[in-house]
Amino acid sequence: MTSIKAKSHPILALAAAAVLAGCAGVQDTTVSVPSHAADASGSLLASVSKRAVTVAPFTIDRGVGELPGRIGERTTVGDVTMGYVTLTPPPEVLFTNAISAELAAAGHTVSGGPSRVSGTVTRFALSTPATALYWDVTIDAAVAMNVNGTSLSYADRCVQRTYSWPSDELIGKLSRSCIASIASKFSRDRRAANAL
């Protein structure tokens, strides 16, 4: 589990929850997530000879009626909903780009080739369980991948405690951190390197 601590004031959390619940009402939001920046150090993908790789656009297991990019909702004390959160780009695009970045950082060409990587985001869910003092903003993510016929799967549960309202910026950074964690697991996996 990836965990990040944030500093703030507990009293402000209560005040913010009261203000948001009483005044702002339920507000859906769209969160922009920056692109993943791959780091080749420690990547086992660089240990195999350089090759051309086709990274097929990842898909996502999405229920009927679920909007693209929607990952959950922010809640406050008492599990009261404060609005849905949608990522842009959506998780499947973020993972496609992150895996492509890891391969490119390892020296492989990702503009198409006989080696093939595909994947499905099986889970990317936001929850914001709240107490009277803080929120534990949580992203629960999992990806099933196929590298030239070899099935691989990676998951992480990323948590950031905050004593102030779970902002769009916080959710965006935590989403990026969770995607980076899973992309790093892929790049450091000997099975993935051998399957290339």
Side-chain angles (χ1 to χ4, degrees):
M1 178 171 78
T2 304
S3 183
I4 302 169
K5 299 290 182 188
K7 295 180 182 176
S8 194
H9 300 289
I11 302 301
L12 292 177
L14 292 173
V19 168
L20 288 168
C23 300
V26 176
Q27 294 183 350
D28 294 345
T29 188
T30 299
V31 175
S32 295
V33 180
S35 297
H36 170 67
D39 179 5
S41 63
S43 173
L44 294 177
L45 300 175
S47 68
V48 297
S49 60
K50 306 307 176 239
R51 55 203 66 199
V53 182
T54 297
V55 179
F58 280 35
T59 59
I60 191 167
D61 288 344
R62 184 175 286 120
V64 174
E66 288 184 28
L67 295 177
R70 181 163 289 171
I71 61 169
E73 59 187 331
R74 286 187 281 207
T75 55
T76 189
V77 179
D79 204 28
V80 175
T81 185
M82 296 308 294
Y84 289 103
V85 177
T86 301
L87 290 190
T88 183
E92 62 272 28
V93 173
L94 291 165
F95 275 109
T96 303
N97 295 342
I99 296 304
S100 297
E102 291 291 341
L103 289 162
H108 303 289
T109 305
V110 292
S111 57
S115 199
R116 185 171 175 82
V117 176
S118 61
T120 300
V121 180
T122 56
R123 191 170 63 249
F124 201 91
L126 167 74
S127 60
T128 61
T131 70
L133 297 177
Y134 60 82
W135 286 264
D136 279 337
V137 181
T138 305
I139 301 278
D140 189 14
V143 179
M145 294 178 60
N146 187 297
V147 180
N148 291 323
T150 299
S151 295
L152 305 166
S153 60
Y154 308 97
D156 204 349
R157 186 172 182 267
C158 306
V159 180
Q160 181 168 346
R161 180 164 289 176
T162 180
Y163 293 92
S164 58
W165 177 244
S167 67
D168 289 6
E169 181 182 8
L170 185 152
I171 293 169
K173 286 180 178 178
L174 187 62
S175 296
R176 182 182 186 196
S177 174
C178 216
I179 290 163
S181 171
I182 289 175
S184 177
K185 289 178 183 185
F186 165 73
S187 74
R188 295 168 189 266
D189 187 349
R190 175 64 64 190
R191 297 169 305 158
N194 290 343
L196 276 180

